[in-house]
Amino acid sequence: MREARAFTEAELLPHADRFDAEGALPRAFIAQLSDRGWLGAALSTRWGGGGLDAPTWGRLHGDVGRACGSTRSLLTVQTLVGLALERWAPEPLKARYLPALARGELLAAFALSEPSAGSDVQGLEARARPHGDGYVLDGVKRWISFGQIAHLFLVFARLEGGMAAFLVEGSSPGLTREPITGLLGVRATQLAELRLNGCFVPASHRVGGGDLPFSPVAATALDVGRYSVAWGCVGQAEACLAASMAHARTRRQFGKPLLEHELVARKLTDMLTDTRAARLLCQEAGAKRKARAPDSESATMMAKYFASTAASRISADAVQLHGASGCIQGSRVERHFRDARIMEIIEGSTQMQQVMIARHCALDDLEGDES
Ligand SMILES: Cc1cc2nc3c(=O)[nH]c(=O)nc-3n(C[C@H](O)[C@H](O)[C@H](O)COP(=O)(O)OP(=O)(O)OC[C@H]3O[C@@H](n4cnc5c(N)ncnc54)[C@H](O)[C@@H]3O)c2cc1C
């Protein structure tokens, strides 16, 4: 993992502001990530993935998030689609696509949200109807990370009263994409709106079965996404903290370094404590995921909830501590400040976590590890 940190500091951090300004991750850089095996790091070795366990994979996403939230997002969507396929897709579909996903030769995107269905995904309006030896999809998917460049989409649509998932090739007739630009943060995530207009998908590309109102395929993917985002937020918080400590030691006002002013020390103490707490919650979630503990999903929600809200607070405090020098592009804290806002919205907003954690987390889960 030291090697991962060294790579992100040498090869990613120096370019992250440019990626953000250009609104894209260069193909050559994505190829570097593929060469390192990071696009398939969590996929099973059976399919050519790295087989990293949850704690190791999480720390990798922390290191990447520390340098660039958009790059971490690419790894997130690729992995959440890959792991959802590993768990739910029929064997021939896995054999056809997972090795190329693991190598990073194919890029995948996750297409759940719609113009009228965000937090309330059960309000999906996209429809699938049986047709011949497959299904025809109609609808609009919005805010799809890396939708501009993905080769494959995991698309969710209503089917006979339930929610179904389909793996749709980006080149399918009836699928068009429009770039979405002007984002507040993670500006290099190449968002797109997808339009499905009589898009035919073979029956063999249906992922998971059943007719549940909320697809377990989506639940699996969002759980993986939350874990990755939580670690990415730890990375952002650490980056902001490091920059703020350095600034507070060197910037002098009223005849002494900022650090020696008590209100500044208090702010830094809160930043340090929040960052540590976020990392510990992510580590706990990682350990539970590795052990396949029954409460790993609620531990992941808590980690995402705390880490994303902490990253928002910490990045805002970092901008404040830097004064005007934190308000300019290229200051690093400024980009994390913008990116952190997004982390409270994606993979279940802060409010959705607040609702779900209270429902899912039993008191026993909190007390269980004390003996
Ligand atoms: C940069 C970016 C990347 C994204 N990438 C993807 C992607 O790859 N794939 C994908 O499918 N989607 C993606 N999304 C969409 C994202 O998942 C949604 O934005 C998110 O689910 C919230 O939905 P919404 O934006 O429609 O907000 P809404 O659901 O309309 O919510 C608006 C506000 O109301 C609050 N709210 C909603 N319901 C309640 C409630 N019951 N109680 C209290 N508060 C509530 C929310 O917390 C939020 O603050 C992305 C979004 C962004 C910004």
Side-chain angles (χ1 to χ4, degrees):
M1 278 296 111
R2 270 208 201 108
E3 193 219 336
R5 176 71 69 89
F7 175 82
T8 54
E9 284 181 0
E11 305 295 334
L12 175 53
L13 189 54
H15 307 293
D17 286 324
R18 178 168 57 82
F19 297 168
D20 191 65
E22 292 174 353
L25 299 179
R27 299 264 173 186
F29 173 68
I30 295 177
Q32 267 185 291
L33 299 176
S34 304
D35 291 346
R36 301 189 72 77
W38 286 5
L39 284 157
L43 296 193
S44 136
T45 50
R46 179 181 168 208
W47 303 111
L52 290 190
D53 63 18
T56 314
W57 179 71
R59 286 198 301 277
L60 171 66
H61 283 216
D63 283 342
V64 174
R66 192 180 164 111
C68 175
S70 294
T71 303
R72 197 268 315 136
S73 263
L74 176 76
L75 303 185
T76 305
V77 287
Q78 180 85 354
T79 312
L80 66 81
V81 172
L83 290 179
L85 293 179
E86 256 195 54
R87 175 145 178 211
W88 297 103
E91 283 297 309
L93 204 63
K94 292 186 202 183
R96 179 157 174 199
Y97 291 111
L98 280 176
L101 285 173
R103 288 193 296 271
E105 286 167 12
L106 292 178
L107 297 179
F110 176 71
L112 179 63
S113 303
E114 299 182 359
S116 308
S119 304
D120 180 13
V121 285
Q122 295 191 26
L124 287 192
E125 290 180 353
R127 290 275 181 277
R129 62 189 154 83
H131 181 84
D133 56 350
Y135 301 89
V136 169
L137 305 190
D138 288 286
V140 178
K141 295 288 170 183
R142 189 174 283 170
W143 314 117
I144 309 309
S145 297
F146 298 97
Q148 295 176 32
I149 58 171
H151 305 96
L152 290 174
F153 294 94
L154 187 58
V155 176
F156 295 84
R158 293 250 141 258
L159 174 66
E160 291 158 0
M163 190 196 289
F166 302 89
L167 193 64
V168 182
E169 291 198 354
S171 58
S172 303
L175 170 64
T176 53
R177 26 183 143 182
E178 276 294 316
I180 299 174
T181 55
L183 270 179
L184 170 71
V186 287
R187 289 181 172 162
T189 50
Q190 291 161 274
L191 254 62
E193 176 167 300
L194 309 185
R195 293 187 171 273
L196 298 147
N197 206 341
C199 178
F200 179 77
V201 185
S204 57
H205 283 221
R206 184 161 172 202
V207 181
D211 54 0
L212 296 171
F214 183 55
S215 160
V217 184
T220 302
L222 289 168
D223 174 51
V224 171
R226 264 176 222 129
Y227 181 62
S228 162
V229 167
W231 271 107
C233 289
V234 170
Q236 290 181 317
E238 288 176 351
C240 289
L241 179 60
S244 300
M245 289 299 257
H247 186 74
R249 286 198 176 104
T250 51
R251 173 75 174 166
R252 296 176 71 87
Q253 290 292 285
F254 300 96
K256 56 186 180 181
L258 288 180
L259 186 58
E260 289 177 25
H261 294 284
E262 285 178 2
L263 289 179
V264 172
R266 176 191 167 171
K267 205 179 265 312
L268 286 164
T269 296
D270 287 347
M271 292 163 80
L272 274 160
T273 309
D274 268 355
T275 304
R276 173 71 65 90
R279 179 171 271 274
L280 289 172
L281 281 173
C282 285
Q283 286 171 344
E284 182 192 60
K288 286 181 185 285
R289 297 175 78 84
K290 185 175 178 182
R292 297 182 191 279
D295 59 337
S296 68
E297 202 179 335
S298 55
T300 300
M301 284 179 198
M302 261 193 227
K304 195 272 181 181
Y305 171 51
F306 188 85
S308 60
T309 50
S312 277
R313 288 193 295 275
I314 291 164
S315 59
D317 281 347
V319 170
Q320 191 68 17
L321 260 171
H322 279 74
S325 63
C327 299
I328 190 113
Q329 271 183 10
S331 71
R332 285 187 190 152
V333 297
E334 174 266 352
R335 175 164 52 81
H336 284 304
F337 172 66
R338 288 186 288 102
D339 287 358
R341 292 304 310 141
I342 306 277
M343 300 307 123
E344 284 204 60
I345 291 170
I346 58 173
E347 317 295 350
S349 68
T350 292
Q351 290 68 37
M352 288 299 99
Q353 304 306 319
Q354 286 169 334
V355 170
M356 292 189 297
I357 291 166
R359 280 185 197 152
H360 286 108
C361 187
L363 202 54
D364 292 354
D365 296 343
L366 301 179
E367 293 168 348
D369 295 337
E370 282 177 12
S371 54

